[in-house]
């Protein structure tokens, strides 16, 4: 608990200091290479999460986020999350997202993820006219900083900060090597794809009624809070 408070204090100070930090000195508890997963570690990159060839996902049992990095510059991201909407509390959007490509550790301590064009995401929004669709995901992602702590119970723990400073949930190292789909283009795509048949296909495995989603989200927040204080 005492250590946890120290980490919390250290974390609070991070976003402002990292911008000027030399990442090679500041982040060498372990290399960033390996496979990292948040919370209950049920969302993990590699086979089992996404099938880029046919743009489908295998639903993890809970939400989470996972990043994998190789020593030679490849990354993969797997995300399953809910986005709340303050003005319309019942309109919680679920997003499954997968992409891979090349990453760079920049001199100012930031990380850039440059995806190949085979990334994709499934968006489920009970309040939108199009309540369930799949689209290409081809956005460069910039993270303003990162830091790897050694956690007494969980081992290496990666903290990364989005471009606006928002922290990603703490990531535990689930493998010391990168668990990834093949590091090559896994689907040829030239247009944005919408597959409405998916709402039917997934109807049995996921209910998007607001009540069900709300209870899942409470669980997620509980997990997120727990991990922050562990
Ligand atoms: C998509 O591809 C995966 C992996 O090859 C396969 O298991 C799954 O059945 C496919 N799904 C559809 C709807 O074609
Ligand atoms: C919340 O819902 C409203 C109405 O659908 C929409 O205009 C707004 O962009 C949503 N906000 C977020 C953060 O998704
Ligand atoms: C840090 O470097 C990256 C890559 O060069 C750049 O995109 C980003 O804007 C820089 N951030 C700051 C705060 O200078
Ligand atoms: C993906 O984005 C990059 C950079 O914005 C662009 O050069 C490329 O054409 C895009 N690819 C596709 C298939 O949209
Ligand atoms: C993409 O298209 C090229 C040229 O037609 C082909 O050689 C390659 O195997 C295709 N890749 C995939 C992943 O389908």
């Amino acid at each position: 608990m005492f250590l946890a408070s120290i980490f919390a204090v250290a974390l609070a100070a991070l976003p402002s200091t990292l911008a000027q930090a030399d990442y090679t000195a500041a982040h060498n508890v372990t290399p960033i290479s390996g496979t990292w997963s948040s919370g209950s570690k049920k969302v993990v990159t590699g086979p089992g999460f996404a099938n880029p060839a046919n743009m489908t996902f295998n639903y993890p049992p809970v939400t989470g986020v996972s990043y994998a990095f190789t020593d030679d510059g490849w990354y993969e991201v797997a995300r399953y999350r809910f986005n709340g909407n303050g003005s319309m509390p019942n309109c919680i959007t679920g997003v499954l997202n997968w992409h891979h490509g090349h990453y760079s550790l920049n001199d100012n301590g930031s990380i850039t993820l440059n995806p190949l064009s085979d990334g994709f995401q499934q968006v489920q929004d009970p309040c939108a006219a199009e309540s369930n669709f799949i689209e290409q995901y081809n956005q460069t992602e910039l993270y303003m900083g990162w830091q790897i702590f050694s956690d007494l119970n969980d081992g290496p723990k990666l903290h990364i900060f989005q471009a606006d400073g928002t922290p990603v949930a703490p990531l535990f190292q689930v493998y010391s090597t990168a668990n990834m789909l093949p590091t090559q283009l896994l689907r040829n795509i030239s247009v944005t794809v919408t597959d409405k048949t998916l709402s039917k296909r997934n109807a049995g495995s996921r209910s998007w009624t607001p009540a069900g989603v709300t209870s899942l989200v409470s669980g997620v927040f509980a997990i997120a809070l727990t991990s922050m204080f562990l």
Side-chain angles (χ1 to χ4, degrees), residues 72-143:
D72 63 350
W74 284 93
Y75 81 89
E76 183 174 318
V77 171
R79 276 195 286 252
Y80 177 27
R81 65 185 178 195
F82 294 111
N83 299 326
N85 185 323
S87 59
M88 306 187 70
N90 287 343
C91 297
I92 292 163
T93 307
V95 181
L96 287 138
N97 175 290
W98 177 91
H99 54 103
H100 68 172
H102 298 281
Y103 75 93
S104 58
L105 302 179
N106 306 315
D107 289 342
N108 62 12
S110 63
I111 306 179
T112 308
L113 306 183
N114 289 302
L116 303 186
S117 59
D118 54 0
F120 67 107
Q121 63 182 7
Q122 179 172 4
V123 179
Q124 298 184 299
D125 179 351
C127 302
E130 189 93 73
S131 64
N132 186 358
F133 62 91
I134 294 194
E135 62 186 358
Q136 184 191 13
Y137 184 86
N138 183 27
Q139 285 170 32
T140 299
E141 295 186 357
L142 176 70
Y143 294 87

Side-chain angles (χ1 to χ4, degrees), residues 23-102:
Y23 73 82
T24 55
H27 305 85
N28 58 5
V29 173
T30 69
I32 199 170
S33 49
T35 305
W36 305 85
S37 176
S38 69
S40 52
K41 306 170 195 167
K42 292 288 200 306
V43 175
V44 180
T45 53
F49 181 75
N51 310 303
N54 60 18
M55 292 178 91
T56 60
F57 288 97
N58 309 317
Y59 280 85
V62 295
T63 58
V65 56
S66 177
Y67 292 74
F69 301 93
T70 68
D71 288 327
D72 63 350
W74 284 93
Y75 81 89
E76 183 174 318
V77 171
R79 276 195 286 252
Y80 177 27
R81 65 185 178 195
F82 294 111
N83 299 326
N85 185 323
S87 59
M88 306 187 70
N90 287 343
C91 297
I92 292 163
T93 307
V95 181
L96 287 138
N97 175 290
W98 177 91
H99 54 103
H100 68 172
H102 298 281

